[in-house]
Amino acid sequence: MRTGQKERRTKETQISVKMNLDGTGKYSVNTGIGFFDHMLELFSSHSGMDLELTVKGDLNVDAHHSVEDTGIVIGKLLHELLGDKNGIARYATSYIPMDETLARTVIDVSGRPCFVFSCDGLKGKIGEFDAELVEEFFRAVSSYGMLTIHTEVLYGNNLHHIAEAVFKSFAHALHDAVAIVGNSVPSSKGVLE
Ligand SMILES: [Mn+2]
């Protein structure tokens, strides 16, 4: 079972996360940031990965540390749970529309962090949430999950829709990329690290 947990405590954030990569999309998420909870719940539901997450962060400063550090902890746990990556699909692509918005995420579970984010629109506020934090979250997931992630928003207007399409396309691509489809490491080198 690809399931496990991780904790991280700094002077800025205290984070506890449990994930099951082969779950059914059950979640319990409390970051103290309503919009971020909404995005992480979508992620769990659409990836089929169970997610239990508690974040206590310095929201008196702003949401930046809480969002970035959550990405770090989820990334680290993903990296651990994927282990030697034996049998995974490795590559996956997902296009997700959300009303007028279309987002695409392409993932390579490469063992190397690389994050390309092409989206001009995510600036300003979504309710109280700073829209630029979407990019910060996925950069951290890529860096600490050792994942190559290319995300592009092809078009869209509404910031809530854009963020939601990005999270959903990531969720579907990650689900497909980590799916067990064989019984060897999917690399001509024989290792993915
Ligand atoms: Mn929504």
Side-chain angles (χ1 to χ4, degrees):
M1 280 288 271
R2 298 183 295 178
T3 182
Q5 59 184 57
K6 185 162 273 303
E7 307 228 340
R8 183 177 188 269
R9 304 177 80 83
T10 73
K11 288 179 179 170
E12 295 171 345
T13 59
Q14 293 95 48
I15 298 176
S16 169
V17 64
K18 265 191 191 178
M19 285 181 82
N20 177 4
L21 304 194
D22 305 298
T24 55
K26 281 181 300 186
Y27 55 78
S28 164
V29 174
N30 189 348
T31 67
I33 307 161
F35 185 76
F36 193 37
D37 286 355
H38 179 37
M39 294 299 107
L40 292 169
E41 289 167 1
L42 292 173
F43 162 73
S44 170
S45 178
H46 284 268
S47 66
M49 297 180 185
D50 299 338
L51 177 67
E52 275 180 48
L53 174 71
T54 308
V55 180
K56 290 193 176 67
D58 55 354
L59 297 178
N60 56 314
V61 177
D62 67 9
H64 195 110
H65 300 141
S66 293
V67 172
E68 183 175 19
D69 292 2
T70 298
I72 290 172
V73 179
I74 287 177
K76 282 185 170 177
L77 185 55
L78 276 172
H79 181 61
E80 275 181 28
L81 296 182
L82 287 167
D84 64 5
K85 306 179 181 66
N86 193 58
I88 65 166
R90 179 176 171 182
Y91 296 102
T93 300
S94 169
Y95 284 86
I96 293 290
M98 175 79 204
D99 294 351
E100 85 297 340
T101 296
L102 182 65
R104 178 186 64 220
T105 298
V106 184
I107 291 180
D108 176 9
V109 185
S110 58
R112 297 185 303 276
C114 182
F115 180 55
V116 179
F117 188 72
S118 180
C119 173
D120 296 332
L122 277 174
K123 304 256 192 284
K125 293 277 189 187
I126 308 171
E128 310 225 311
F129 187 81
D130 183 357
E132 294 178 350
L133 294 178
V134 172
E135 181 174 354
E136 297 307 307
F137 172 76
F138 285 108
R139 179 174 292 109
V141 171
S142 164
S143 295
Y144 290 85
M146 305 291 172
L147 300 168
T148 300
I149 303 172
H150 290 238
T151 296
E152 181 172 19
V153 176
L154 289 87
Y155 42 81
N157 289 315
N158 181 283
L159 289 179
H160 189 121
H161 293 167
I162 292 172
E164 196 158 321
V166 166
F167 271 86
K168 284 181 178 171
S169 70
F170 173 72
H172 282 272
L174 187 66
H175 171 272
D176 292 353
V178 307
I180 302 293
V181 296
N183 51 22
S184 62
V185 176
S187 166
S188 57
K189 282 187 297 193
V191 292
L192 276 175
E193 57 182 24

